[in-house]
Amino acid sequence: MFKRRKSLASERKREIFSRGVTRSMLKNDLRNFHCLSQLVLSAGPLKSAPVVKHSKTAHFEIEILDAQTRKQICIVDKVVQTSTIHDVKQKFHKACPKWYPSRIGLQLERGGPFLKDYITIQSIATSSIVTLYFTDLGQQVSWTTVFLAEYTGPLIIYLLFYLRIPYIYDMKESSRRFCHPVVHLACFCHCIHYIRYLLETLFVHKVSAGHTPLKNLIKGCAFYWGFTSWIAYYINHPQYTPPSFGNRQVTVSAIIFLELMPVFQVQIITPSHGCFSWFHVLTTPTRLDHGLVSQS
């Protein structure tokens, strides 16, 4: 009996000792887990490795040749698909500063049509190397300059004849002659007409940002200024006589002029040919492809 009690006591001691060991191990495991979780949380979210993206954008090489001699002028490289002819002109201007973009004409073939600025390289390219032919378009001016020069000249020229400045009429005869009231009315209508055109050009019409050769400016100014000088010389001449039908004819003409004032007379100039055409546009908004946009 004594031995059995002794064995039972030893077994209880072992059981108590094993329980204490397991409890201490659990406490250590909990402490280690807590430290590990704190370390993970302090490290922040896991970042994935950056994915290397390979660019699939195709680049073109633009070879620009002289349209007459077929000699190579320059090569524009690293041109992307979305680039336009305008972008090519900008890079061409950087390579050859003496030719600014509005003066550069590019063609796919010699003698072919000039490529528009909005055309993309991808639409005309058949390979990675594109050959374009260059033509010098000459001195260029903006459309706003063209319209302002055409309309400002007649306004100033008519006033010079109306004031009868020296070297146009005989001074003695001009001082003696009395100006008929219709002469003053004609000057008023003429000035209102061209002042309206100038205001429409600046504030009503939307002039495109394109350019035209300098010769078209010279042609337009020669027409407007010459015709104004011709009619102003006779209307403001000291020997001018009033209309045959008197005030009746003057009144009818003034009424017709006032009725035509709300009608916009729009000038269209085609950049490729430089020809002039006229038509009447009422007060409804109208968009024109070349040079000008009429809007009331």
Side-chain angles (χ1 to χ4, degrees), residues 66-94:
D66 193 315
Q68 296 181 353
T69 62
R70 292 188 178 181
K71 292 182 179 180
Q72 186 184 93
I73 300 176
C74 70
I75 294 178
V76 179
D77 56 354
K78 296 182 180 180
V79 179
V80 297
Q81 296 176 348
T82 56
S83 296
T84 60
I85 295 297
H86 179 72
D87 299 330
V88 176
K89 290 181 179 181
Q90 294 288 344
K91 293 184 177 182
F92 180 48
H93 173 61
K94 291 181 180 179

Side-chain angles (χ1 to χ4, degrees), residues 226-244:
F227 185 76
T228 300
S229 301
W230 178 56
I231 63 173
Y233 176 80
Y234 291 105
I235 295 176
N236 298 285
H237 198 280
Q239 297 181 0
Y240 173 79
T241 55
S244 302

Side-chain angles (χ1 to χ4, degrees), residues 25-97:
M25 290 178 64
L26 287 173
K27 289 181 179 179
N28 292 333
D29 292 340
L30 290 173
R31 289 176 182 175
N32 294 334
F33 178 76
H34 180 70
C35 294
L36 180 62
S37 62
Q38 291 295 329
L39 180 64
V40 171
L41 291 175
S42 63
L46 297 177
K47 295 182 179 180
S48 59
V51 180
V52 179
K53 296 182 180 180
H54 298 282
S55 178
K56 296 183 180 180
T57 305
H59 290 81
F60 295 93
E61 187 177 279
I62 311 297
E63 181 186 20
I64 300 179
L65 308 179
D66 193 315
Q68 296 181 353
T69 62
R70 292 188 178 181
K71 292 182 179 180
Q72 186 184 93
I73 300 176
C74 70
I75 294 178
V76 179
D77 56 354
K78 296 182 180 180
V79 179
V80 297
Q81 296 176 348
T82 56
S83 296
T84 60
I85 295 297
H86 179 72
D87 299 330
V88 176
K89 290 181 179 181
Q90 294 288 344
K91 293 184 177 182
F92 180 48
H93 173 61
K94 291 181 180 179
C96 303

